[in-house]
Amino acid sequence: MKEYVIALDQGTSSSRAIVFNRRGEAAAVCQKEFTQHFPQPGMVEHDPMEIWATEYAVMTEAVASLGLGGADIAAIGITNQRETTIVWDAATGKPVCNAIVWQDRRTSEFCDSLKAAGLTERIREKTGLIIDAYFSGTKIRWILDNVPGARERAERGELRFGTVDSWLVWNLTGGHEHVTDVTNASRTMLFNINTLEWDSELLELLDIPASMMPQVRSSSEIYGQTSLLGGNVPVAGIAGDQQAALFGQMCTEPGSVKNTYGTGCFLLMNTGTRPILSRNNLLTTIAWKIGDTVNYALEGSIFVAGSVVQWLRDGLGIIRSSSEVEALASSVPDNGGVYMVPALTGLGAPYWDQYAKGSISGITRGTTAAHIARAALEGIAFETMDIVSAMEKDAGVPLGELKVDGGASRNNLLMQFQSDILGTPVVRPDVTETTALGAAYLAGLAVGFWQDIEEVKKQWKAEKVFTPQMPSEEVDKRKQGWADAVERTLSGK
């Protein structure tokens, strides 16, 4: 009996591999950071070869650490940073340039031209997305227009596009499989979430040859085999990181909500088998497809969450490691009137102001590093609050509870403040590696490692529940302070 499933969790700042047993417990975890490239202000890149090298290394190390081989692994699931765009040569497998990361803003002006052409509603109806440099489509176009010879090679059918999941599957299968799943396809601004196909009108609009695009498959099926662990191990689950976390949190019922506190912050609500087009500046996206059933979700994206803590460490130097931020922020009783809007790469939902810059307001002679640290953490919670408010309006139901995961969900100060400011319970699961766990579940279900979703649901357990403690008048005062800070931050204000 094969007793393990591997999840490859390829994130924005690190590549990880986690080996899970049948009880959904992590038996081994291996992680490697990789280089962030910032060639110009507003540009963020990764080396695709380094992404693959680090992911391959952690996969083999995690398996070896348990004394396992391919014969012990039932399946591999993949979850990945979404929207990050890679274009490579179909014959050689070599990228034509660095990956353009989801945070990158270089196509903002082109996005403005699409809006000026009156395409906002047309694109929203087809893709569920707002026109923004965040998504992959305009990044592909930029590569074709700016890498010498790329457009000609693409038109000859020589180049392939993929989000990070496609790149990993291509390399795992030795270039045999060029596929993606519906969740990643739905983040490109090129995929029609109603017909579940690449949209020929949008490909033509962005001047992208259809031959570049991967085949779109469900989130839980066998895409191909890898021999890199010895023997043949099926690659059998794919979901973008936020959809994988939604599944890992077992938010399988309409109305259930999770928030992942990673490099960015991503709040998703399962809306069932029909897409709800947002009227409050949220995204409509595909949650997953299992068998013939597609589940949809509403999503609010915050571009900067955990990365604001990295900025406190690397930019300001007020902490030496990210783990120190909670103790520093807890050393003061409140934010001292300081508010930080962490718009370090523009503001995402529900504002979608790609030109906004981060701000710290309310500074006095009495302001300390601790107040700034606390304001940074609170800024993450306030941005989440704004998205919850928009989501409640779109769905027509109040939030019952918020399930949380991701690195910053381990920060008790942040989670308590989140509960206070929302006025609802915040539930942290026993296994906070829910993104990787979701990918493992999708892969395991595809090969019969777990029989069905009901079996998987029984494994989910809460580790801690945070309940509101702050007096309502204090909550109202904090909310007003935040609203004022955002008003000052929006571009043109």
Side-chain angles (χ1 to χ4, degrees), residues 107 110-111 114 132-133 135-142 189 206:
T107 63
F110 178 69
C111 289
L114 294 177
D132 194 83
F135 305 109
S136 310
T138 60
K139 295 172 165 60
I140 304 170
R141 181 183 182 276
W142 188 94
M189 220 169 76
L206 295 187

Side-chain angles (χ1 to χ4, degrees), residues 6 8 17 19 30 32 52-69 228-230:
I6 301 177
L8 304 184
V19 181
C30 196
K32 285 186 187 298
W52 167 240
T54 53
E55 196 60 72
Y56 173 73
V58 294
M59 176 180 71
T60 53
E61 286 174 26
V63 171
S65 72
L66 296 172
L68 305 177
L228 297 176
L229 294 171

Side-chain angles (χ1 to χ4, degrees), residues 6-70:
I6 301 177
L8 304 184
D9 183 357
Q10 205 299 302
T12 308
S13 56
S14 70
S15 294
R16 299 194 306 156
I18 303 182
V19 181
F20 289 98
N21 62 24
R22 287 186 183 275
R23 295 183 298 280
E25 299 164 339
V29 181
C30 196
Q31 178 170 350
K32 285 186 187 298
E33 290 192 2
F34 55 87
T35 311
Q36 309 291 309
H37 301 273
F38 306 101
Q40 293 179 32
M43 292 188 177
V44 189
E45 295 179 356
H46 295 154
D47 177 354
M49 299 306 291
E50 189 181 7
I51 287 176
W52 167 240
T54 53
E55 196 60 72
Y56 173 73
V58 294
M59 176 180 71
T60 53
E61 286 174 26
V63 171
S65 72
L66 296 172
L68 305 177

Side-chain angles (χ1 to χ4, degrees), residues 96-223:
V96 302
C97 62
N98 274 347
I100 302 180
V101 180
W102 58 273
Q103 298 160 312
D104 190 283
R105 311 305 299 168
R106 75 185 67 186
T107 63
S108 293
E109 288 186 9
F110 178 69
C111 289
D112 288 343
S113 73
L114 294 177
K115 294 174 190 172
L119 292 164
T120 299
E121 280 308 306
R122 183 76 174 139
I123 287 175
R124 189 204 297 262
E125 286 168 6
K126 286 172 174 276
T127 69
L129 307 178
I130 287 164
I131 296 172
D132 194 83
Y134 177 29
F135 305 109
S136 310
T138 60
K139 295 172 165 60
I140 304 170
R141 181 183 182 276
W142 188 94
I143 289 171
L144 296 182
D145 287 343
N146 289 276
V147 174
R151 182 165 292 284
E152 292 75 18
R153 292 164 69 190
E155 287 170 354
R156 290 196 299 265
E158 296 172 6
L159 299 186
R160 299 290 178 263
F161 152 74
T163 40
V164 171
D165 59 304
S166 297
W167 174 241
L168 294 180
V169 173
W170 176 276
N171 283 284
L172 284 165
T173 62
H176 288 294
E177 302 297 337
H178 183 216
V179 301
T180 188
D181 90 301
V182 289
T183 69
N184 282 291
S186 75
R187 311 298 297 188
T188 59
M189 220 169 76
L190 298 168
F191 187 72
N192 191 312
I193 63 171
N194 306 293
T195 65
L196 303 181
E197 296 173 331
W198 297 118
D199 192 280
S200 56
E201 181 187 352
L202 296 179
L203 288 169
E204 187 175 335
L205 177 69
L206 295 187
D207 201 11
I208 296 170
S211 61
M212 296 181 70
M213 308 306 287
Q215 182 185 6
V216 183
R217 309 273 282 273
S218 77
S219 308
S220 180
E221 63 176 276
I222 297 174
Y223 314 104

Side-chain angles (χ1 to χ4, degrees), residues 287-305:
W288 51 75
K289 181 184 180 189
I290 299 175
D292 294 326
T293 303
V294 178
N295 272 63
Y296 292 87
L298 282 169
E299 175 174 336
S301 312
I302 297 169
F303 297 150
V304 173

Side-chain angles (χ1 to χ4, degrees), residues 399-477:
L399 179 69
E401 66 176 21
L402 180 66
K403 289 183 174 180
V404 299
D405 55 70
S409 72
R410 299 187 190 97
N411 187 310
N412 290 332
L413 176 71
L414 173 57
M415 292 300 100
Q416 182 57 56
F417 186 77
Q418 188 71 84
S419 177
D420 289 339
I421 215 71
L422 289 177
T424 56
V426 167
V427 184
R428 185 168 65 200
D430 195 36
V431 177
T432 55
E433 301 288 4
T434 50
T435 303
L437 185 58
Y441 282 154
L442 290 167
L445 287 167
V447 299
F449 187 77
W450 292 289
Q451 291 307 305
D452 52 33
I453 290 176
E454 290 308 311
E455 180 185 350
V456 169
K457 268 187 182 176
K458 293 173 184 171
Q459 298 183 354
W460 191 94
K461 298 191 292 287
E463 179 262 327
K464 188 172 176 63
V465 179
F466 299 86
T467 56
Q469 307 291 331
M470 189 180 288
S472 58
E473 59 273 15
E474 183 65 22
V475 171
D476 293 342
K477 177 183 165 187

